[in-house]
Amino acid sequence: MGIAAFIATSCDSDEKKNARVQVWLTDAPGDFQEVNIDLKGVEVHVGDGDDDAGWRSLPVHTGVYNLLKLTNGLDTLLGEITIPPGAISQIRLKLGSENTLKVGGEMFDLDVPSGQQSGLKLQVHQTLVEDITYKILLDFDVARSVLLTGSGQYKLKPVIRTIPEAQDGAIKGVVSPVASTPAVYAIKETDTLATAYTDATGHFLLRGLAAGSYTVSFVPNSSFESTQKENVSVVIGQVTDLGTVEIPQ
């Protein structure tokens, strides 16, 4: 499942200082009919340490997820958050008590020894760049995570691989004079893929761009003339800075 492109972007001075983190869930197949986890929360830890102040909660889609519906390339978005650029070190999953397993047509409770209160911590170690969107895929290995004890009880000891990756690139800059107030377009071949508007200081930001070469077009108010920059390169995980763009009168 892909991530939708951000087609139109305004140049908000606060948002420019942030990166966007999306947490997705997928699963490797297991020999069961259902494996249901009761997701109560997702948090990311900002910084390299493990202090309580570093945890940030995502607005997530809580509820029961059948992991076996998320196999063979399928995944689901749990939630996303915008946070300042810099290091993130961990993700923490909080699970409730409604975890179940279906095997041989029969439902069983799935006991979770850890992860219900303090949360299940997963290592990430990703450095975020401002204005870039990151996808962190949680790859849940069901076959290795579900254990059958000698007493016939099923236990969930999650084995989860975290796969972080930048999803897009961006273009930024500032126009002069500020009074030209142009609309700014990122164009690839004949398609306009992002639109931005300069802010009160003349800055602009075009987000959510795939890697490639773009024409950046500036369409100012009627007192100025249009101009454009050719062959602007966008690289995934980086922000291309055009510096100051002069708008002719």
mmCIF file of all heavy atoms in Angstrom, residues 13 20 24 27 30 35 39 79 91 112-113 129 140-141 145 148 153 168 181-182 188 248:
data_model
loop_
_atom_site.group_PDB
_atom_site.id
_atom_site.type_symbol
_atom_site.label_atom_id
_atom_site.label_comp_id
_atom_site.label_asym_id
_atom_site.label_seq_id
_atom_site.Cartn_x
_atom_site.Cartn_y
_atom_site.Cartn_z
ATOM 1 N N SER A 13 5.388 28.440 8.442
ATOM 2 C CA SER A 13 6.694 28.611 9.048
ATOM 3 C C SER A 13 6.966 27.582 10.121
ATOM 4 O O SER A 13 8.099 27.186 10.345
ATOM 5 C CB SER A 13 6.821 30.019 9.632
ATOM 6 O OG SER A 13 5.816 30.241 10.604
ATOM 7 N N ARG A 20 7.843 14.622 9.125
ATOM 8 C CA ARG A 20 6.634 13.828 9.338
ATOM 9 C C ARG A 20 7.018 12.357 9.437
ATOM 10 O O ARG A 20 7.766 11.851 8.597
ATOM 11 C CB ARG A 20 5.636 14.049 8.199
ATOM 12 C CG ARG A 20 4.365 13.215 8.333
ATOM 13 C CD ARG A 20 3.388 13.471 7.204
ATOM 14 N NE ARG A 20 2.678 14.723 7.377
ATOM 15 C CZ ARG A 20 2.823 15.792 6.604
ATOM 16 N NH1 ARG A 20 3.692 15.759 5.604
ATOM 17 N NH2 ARG A 20 2.144 16.882 6.816
ATOM 18 N N TRP A 24 3.649 2.280 10.011
ATOM 19 C CA TRP A 24 2.832 1.302 9.306
ATOM 20 C C TRP A 24 3.083 -0.086 9.887
ATOM 21 O O TRP A 24 4.150 -0.358 10.439
ATOM 22 C CB TRP A 24 3.179 1.285 7.811
ATOM 23 C CG TRP A 24 2.862 2.558 7.085
ATOM 24 C CD1 TRP A 24 3.479 3.775 7.223
ATOM 25 C CD2 TRP A 24 1.849 2.742 6.104
ATOM 26 N NE1 TRP A 24 2.921 4.694 6.385
ATOM 27 C CE2 TRP A 24 1.919 4.105 5.677
ATOM 28 C CE3 TRP A 24 0.898 1.903 5.530
ATOM 29 C CZ2 TRP A 24 1.065 4.616 4.715
ATOM 30 C CZ3 TRP A 24 0.048 2.416 4.570
ATOM 31 C CH2 TRP A 24 0.134 3.764 4.172
ATOM 32 N N ASP A 27 2.951 -7.854 8.113
ATOM 33 C CA ASP A 27 3.156 -9.146 8.782
ATOM 34 C C ASP A 27 3.723 -10.160 7.817
ATOM 35 O O ASP A 27 3.349 -10.199 6.642
ATOM 36 C CB ASP A 27 1.808 -9.649 9.330
ATOM 37 C CG ASP A 27 1.889 -11.071 9.862
ATOM 38 O OD1 ASP A 27 2.827 -11.341 10.627
ATOM 39 O OD2 ASP A 27 1.043 -11.889 9.489
ATOM 40 N N GLY A 30 2.029 -16.703 8.944
ATOM 41 C CA GLY A 30 2.184 -17.738 9.953
ATOM 42 C C GLY A 30 1.131 -18.813 9.735
ATOM 43 O O GLY A 30 0.143 -18.607 9.025
ATOM 44 N N VAL A 35 -4.516 -14.064 13.831
ATOM 45 C CA VAL A 35 -3.700 -13.608 14.960
ATOM 46 C C VAL A 35 -4.101 -12.158 15.199
ATOM 47 O O VAL A 35 -3.781 -11.278 14.400
ATOM 48 C CB VAL A 35 -2.191 -13.718 14.690
ATOM 49 C CG1 VAL A 35 -1.400 -13.186 15.885
ATOM 50 C CG2 VAL A 35 -1.800 -15.162 14.396
ATOM 51 N N LEU A 39 -4.314 -3.206 19.775
ATOM 52 C CA LEU A 39 -3.407 -2.058 19.789
ATOM 53 C C LEU A 39 -4.031 -0.885 20.535
ATOM 54 O O LEU A 39 -5.101 -0.408 20.174
ATOM 55 C CB LEU A 39 -3.063 -1.643 18.358
ATOM 56 C CG LEU A 39 -2.056 -0.501 18.230
ATOM 57 C CD1 LEU A 39 -0.672 -0.973 18.661
ATOM 58 C CD2 LEU A 39 -2.023 0.029 16.810
ATOM 59 N N GLY A 79 -0.647 5.421 12.299
ATOM 60 C CA GLY A 79 -0.757 6.822 12.675
ATOM 61 C C GLY A 79 0.459 7.588 12.200
ATOM 62 O O GLY A 79 1.439 7.014 11.719
ATOM 63 N N ILE A 91 10.578 2.992 18.968
ATOM 64 C CA ILE A 91 9.117 3.029 18.884
ATOM 65 C C ILE A 91 8.595 2.141 19.998
ATOM 66 O O ILE A 91 9.190 1.095 20.305
ATOM 67 C CB ILE A 91 8.623 2.540 17.518
ATOM 68 C CG1 ILE A 91 8.928 3.592 16.441
ATOM 69 C CG2 ILE A 91 7.127 2.244 17.527
ATOM 70 C CD1 ILE A 91 8.467 3.184 15.067
ATOM 71 N N VAL A 112 0.058 -11.934 26.548
ATOM 72 C CA VAL A 112 1.183 -11.060 26.221
ATOM 73 C C VAL A 112 1.971 -10.795 27.498
ATOM 74 O O VAL A 112 1.557 -9.990 28.325
ATOM 75 C CB VAL A 112 0.710 -9.734 25.600
ATOM 76 C CG1 VAL A 112 1.912 -8.865 25.218
ATOM 77 C CG2 VAL A 112 -0.151 -9.999 24.370
ATOM 78 N N PRO A 113 3.092 -11.469 27.699
ATOM 79 C CA PRO A 113 3.853 -11.271 28.927
ATOM 80 C C PRO A 113 4.367 -9.855 29.107
ATOM 81 O O PRO A 113 4.477 -9.362 30.216
ATOM 82 C CB PRO A 113 5.027 -12.255 28.776
ATOM 83 C CG PRO A 113 4.551 -13.260 27.776
ATOM 84 C CD PRO A 113 3.657 -12.504 26.851
ATOM 85 N N VAL A 129 15.247 14.525 8.745
ATOM 86 C CA VAL A 129 15.543 15.806 8.105
ATOM 87 C C VAL A 129 14.250 16.604 8.027
ATOM 88 O O VAL A 129 13.190 16.052 7.700
ATOM 89 C CB VAL A 129 16.125 15.585 6.690
ATOM 90 C CG1 VAL A 129 16.342 16.903 5.964
ATOM 91 C CG2 VAL A 129 17.438 14.800 6.785
ATOM 92 N N PHE A 140 5.879 -7.566 11.474
ATOM 93 C CA PHE A 140 5.544 -8.471 12.570
ATOM 94 C C PHE A 140 5.689 -9.912 12.092
ATOM 95 O O PHE A 140 4.974 -10.347 11.199
ATOM 96 C CB PHE A 140 4.103 -8.196 13.000
ATOM 97 C CG PHE A 140 3.782 -8.512 14.419
ATOM 98 C CD1 PHE A 140 3.361 -7.521 15.277
ATOM 99 C CD2 PHE A 140 3.896 -9.805 14.908
ATOM 100 C CE1 PHE A 140 3.050 -7.785 16.602
ATOM 101 C CE2 PHE A 140 3.587 -10.088 16.230
ATOM 102 C CZ PHE A 140 3.173 -9.073 17.078
ATOM 103 N N ASP A 141 6.627 -10.650 12.658
ATOM 104 C CA ASP A 141 6.869 -12.041 12.259
ATOM 105 C C ASP A 141 6.017 -12.965 13.128
ATOM 106 O O ASP A 141 6.429 -13.378 14.217
ATOM 107 C CB ASP A 141 8.358 -12.369 12.411
ATOM 108 C CG ASP A 141 8.722 -13.702 11.768
ATOM 109 O OD1 ASP A 141 7.829 -14.565 11.637
ATOM 110 O OD2 ASP A 141 9.896 -13.890 11.411
ATOM 111 N N SER A 145 6.593 -15.276 16.607
ATOM 112 C CA SER A 145 6.077 -14.511 17.740
ATOM 113 C C SER A 145 5.090 -15.283 18.604
ATOM 114 O O SER A 145 4.898 -14.944 19.776
ATOM 115 C CB SER A 145 5.403 -13.226 17.244
ATOM 116 O OG SER A 145 6.308 -12.395 16.565
ATOM 117 N N LEU A 148 3.582 -21.860 21.786
ATOM 118 C CA LEU A 148 2.688 -22.772 22.497
ATOM 119 C C LEU A 148 3.444 -23.367 23.679
ATOM 120 O O LEU A 148 4.461 -24.037 23.503
ATOM 121 C CB LEU A 148 2.196 -23.879 21.562
ATOM 122 C CG LEU A 148 1.263 -24.935 22.180
ATOM 123 C CD1 LEU A 148 -0.010 -24.287 22.716
ATOM 124 C CD2 LEU A 148 0.936 -26.016 21.151
ATOM 125 N N GLN A 153 -1.060 -23.309 26.501
ATOM 126 C CA GLN A 153 -1.421 -21.892 26.404
ATOM 127 C C GLN A 153 -0.573 -21.222 25.334
ATOM 128 O O GLN A 153 0.624 -21.500 25.198
ATOM 129 C CB GLN A 153 -1.185 -21.194 27.749
ATOM 130 C CG GLN A 153 -1.620 -19.736 27.764
ATOM 131 C CD GLN A 153 -1.371 -19.088 29.113
ATOM 132 O OE1 GLN A 153 -0.572 -19.579 29.912
ATOM 133 N NE2 GLN A 153 -2.057 -17.990 29.380
ATOM 134 N N ASP A 168 10.188 10.795 0.476
ATOM 135 C CA ASP A 168 10.112 11.842 -0.526
ATOM 136 C C ASP A 168 11.278 12.802 -0.398
ATOM 137 O O ASP A 168 12.139 12.672 0.469
ATOM 138 C CB ASP A 168 8.775 12.594 -0.422
ATOM 139 C CG ASP A 168 8.526 13.152 0.981
ATOM 140 O OD1 ASP A 168 9.500 13.382 1.722
ATOM 141 O OD2 ASP A 168 7.358 13.360 1.343
ATOM 142 N N THR A 181 5.007 37.980 -4.509
ATOM 143 C CA THR A 181 4.033 36.980 -4.005
ATOM 144 C C THR A 181 3.661 35.895 -5.027
ATOM 145 O O THR A 181 2.490 35.700 -5.339
ATOM 146 C CB THR A 181 2.760 37.657 -3.498
ATOM 147 O OG1 THR A 181 2.134 38.373 -4.587
ATOM 148 C CG2 THR A 181 3.049 38.618 -2.353
ATOM 149 N N PRO A 182 4.624 35.160 -5.565
ATOM 150 C CA PRO A 182 4.270 34.183 -6.598
ATOM 151 C C PRO A 182 3.691 32.886 -6.045
ATOM 152 O O PRO A 182 3.962 32.496 -4.910
ATOM 153 C CB PRO A 182 5.619 33.900 -7.261
ATOM 154 C CG PRO A 182 6.609 34.084 -6.164
ATOM 155 C CD PRO A 182 6.080 35.226 -5.334
ATOM 156 N N LYS A 188 6.978 18.151 -13.551
ATOM 157 C CA LYS A 188 7.783 17.062 -14.108
ATOM 158 C C LYS A 188 7.171 16.661 -15.437
ATOM 159 O O LYS A 188 6.017 16.211 -15.467
ATOM 160 C CB LYS A 188 7.826 15.876 -13.142
ATOM 161 C CG LYS A 188 8.877 14.835 -13.479
ATOM 162 C CD LYS A 188 9.013 13.825 -12.348
ATOM 163 C CE LYS A 188 10.170 12.881 -12.616
ATOM 164 N NZ LYS A 188 10.332 11.894 -11.523
ATOM 165 N N PRO A 248 11.570 38.788 -11.959
ATOM 166 C CA PRO A 248 11.746 40.002 -12.777
ATOM 167 C C PRO A 248 10.483 40.856 -12.841
ATOM 168 O O PRO A 248 9.378 40.350 -12.758
ATOM 169 C CB PRO A 248 12.105 39.455 -14.148
ATOM 170 C CG PRO A 248 11.497 38.080 -14.178
ATOM 171 C CD PRO A 248 11.561 37.558 -12.791
#
